[in-house]
Amino acid sequence: MQILVVDDSALVRDMVTSIVVNAGYPQPLLAKDAREAKAHIKRSVVDLILMDIQLPGVDGLQLTRQIRRNLKDEQWIPIIFLTIKDDPDYLAAAIDAGGDDYLVKPVNPVVLLAKVHAMARISNMKAALDETNLQLNRLTQIDALTNVINRRGFDESLMHSWRLHRRNDQELCLLFLDIDDFKTYNDNYGHPQGDRCLRQVAELFKTCLRNESDLLARYGGEEFVIVLPNTTLRAAEKLAQSILLKLAQERIEHQHSHVAPYITASIGISTTRDGASTAQKLLSQADRSLYKAKSNGRNQICCFEDIEQLATDAEL
């Protein structure tokens, strides 16, 4: 569990750090004011905040209201206030601002750890409930034609994978796939046959997934996406190559294609290693890579890092 300690006293920050680290928790994030605290929350997954109420500038009560207002319900972070004021009205104000508990300084290490353990249990229970709800939502977010996740389900699943990527600091890859010349396929073979082709291609894509963590979704029309949590770029490239190979082996007839006499696909790949700061930017990078693969002649793979390298070489 990642803890954020917000206190303008270096002595208090060091004391709290010593207590939680000795209890087996990771090194906490440290902030001396609201600005540093918000920066940590923005770039890291925070599971618990231990916060002084009397902070310079924006105090702990104001900061808590801002956190509760800016974060969605599924990003709830428990907040325990640490303060020198042992006053019932102050306690009421702290809870009303959005705090979850209240401890008076100097903090008793045993009491602090008991509170932290309690919040950890609640946080773990919420995480398990969120995962269960995600699985239930997926059952209602299936594309009726291809029997894979639909666009809405993809959006939610990508955000879930993104949060896991940030929490665990593991590489996340995304494949954007487009069936080549599919409009021409529909124009010549008819839409009913086009629907059958989409179902066949979706089934082929599914056979290339490695485990239950990999997720295939229909993005729209003849476009598909594959989310690959905890996956290196090289592993993502290998999966993409297996897709192109299976399409070549399957040889789904497409005599009107400008690429080959069978169905082919273009694939763009992006990875969090390329500096995407949000899930949407990761998707945008995969989309740019797909466009490059199509402009290069289709039936091929393009990685975002290759686009970046070409741009760098051009500048040199």
Side-chain angles (χ1 to χ4, degrees):
M1 186 171 71
Q2 183 65 70
I3 299 172
L4 170 62
V5 180
V6 188
D7 201 297
D8 59 339
S9 167
L11 180 63
V12 172
R13 295 196 300 271
D14 290 343
M15 179 199 69
V16 173
T17 295
S18 177
I19 293 172
V20 298
V21 169
N22 287 337
Y25 291 98
Q27 175 73 25
L29 302 171
L30 303 176
K32 65 178 182 295
D33 55 27
R35 182 184 62 81
E36 291 185 359
K38 286 189 283 190
H40 280 305
I41 293 171
K42 183 177 181 180
R43 63 173 177 256
S44 305
V45 175
V46 175
D47 300 298
L48 171 64
I49 301 176
L50 304 175
M51 185 191 305
D52 186 12
I53 292 180
Q54 294 176 305
L55 296 172
V58 177
D59 67 23
L61 300 183
Q62 292 174 292
L63 176 57
T64 298
R65 293 189 187 96
Q66 292 174 6
I67 292 172
R68 296 301 186 219
R69 184 168 58 248
N70 294 335
L71 294 182
K72 298 178 182 178
D73 291 340
E74 62 266 23
Q75 294 174 291
W76 170 78
I77 305 173
I79 298 174
I80 300 176
F81 285 118
L82 310 177
T83 179
I84 60 173
K85 291 192 176 183
D86 187 7
D87 184 323
D89 291 335
Y90 212 51
L91 167 61
I95 300 301
D96 185 62
D100 298 291
D101 213 329
Y102 185 100
L103 288 175
V104 178
K105 299 177 184 178
V107 176
N108 183 302
V110 175
V111 176
L112 174 61
L113 285 178
K115 301 284 188 182
V116 170
H117 293 334
M119 291 300 173
R121 285 198 299 270
I122 295 172
S123 181
N124 289 337
M125 289 171 61
K126 184 177 185 302
L129 180 60
D130 287 345
E131 181 64 27
T132 299
N133 287 335
L134 179 67
Q135 297 299 330
L136 291 174
N137 284 336
R138 283 181 176 175
L139 294 177
T140 64
Q141 295 173 349
I142 299 296
D143 179 63
L145 177 64
T146 60
N147 200 35
V148 300
I149 300 296
N150 60 22
R151 172 69 179 275
R152 181 181 176 184
F154 162 71
D155 290 339
E156 292 190 8
S157 297
L158 177 60
M159 290 308 303
H160 177 72
S161 297
W162 182 262
R163 286 193 291 270
L164 289 178
H165 146 69
R166 292 181 61 195
R167 177 187 296 273
N168 301 324
D169 193 27
Q170 294 173 336
E171 191 170 356
L172 172 65
C173 288
L174 194 66
L175 271 60
F176 215 138
L177 308 96
D178 182 82
I179 301 176
D180 297 325
D181 281 337
F182 193 70
K183 182 180 183 304
T184 307
Y185 188 94
N186 272 334
D187 290 344
N188 287 276
Y189 293 93
H191 288 277
Q193 179 58 34
D195 288 348
R196 286 190 286 272
C197 178
L198 285 174
R199 286 193 291 268
Q200 188 175 355
V201 169
E203 286 299 319
L204 183 147
F205 288 165
K206 282 197 289 188
T207 64
C208 295
L209 302 183
R210 307 161 304 168
N211 51 55
E212 292 183 357
S213 297
D214 296 348
L215 181 135
L216 168 68
R218 186 184 180 195
Y219 193 76
E222 67 274 18
E223 291 183 327
F224 293 82
V225 282
I226 297 178
V227 183
L228 301 173
N230 191 21
T231 301
T232 66
L233 176 59
R234 299 309 161 213
E237 285 183 293
K238 184 177 180 181
L239 189 148
Q241 289 164 357
S242 72
I243 289 174
L244 297 188
L245 178 61
K246 283 202 172 186
L247 282 172
Q249 293 172 340
E250 194 73 12
R251 299 188 72 84
I252 304 169
E253 181 181 335
H254 188 358
Q255 294 295 336
H256 306 277
S257 170
H258 296 89
V259 185
Y262 54 86
I263 288 289
T264 61
S266 301
I267 305 176
I269 305 177
S270 62
T271 169
T272 49
R273 196 181 66 185
D274 289 329
S277 57
T278 66
Q280 283 305 309
K281 287 184 179 178
L282 183 69
L283 179 61
S284 177
Q285 289 176 351
D287 189 31
R288 286 179 58 190
S289 304
L290 171 60
Y291 178 83
K292 188 66 176 177
K294 292 166 67 176
S295 64
N296 285 345
R298 298 183 172 88
N299 192 27
Q300 59 186 272
I301 301 161
C302 181
C303 300
F304 184 74
E305 73 168 16
D306 296 331
I307 299 176
E308 292 289 276
Q309 185 61 49
L310 287 172
T312 301
D313 293 343
E315 291 176 359
L316 295 177

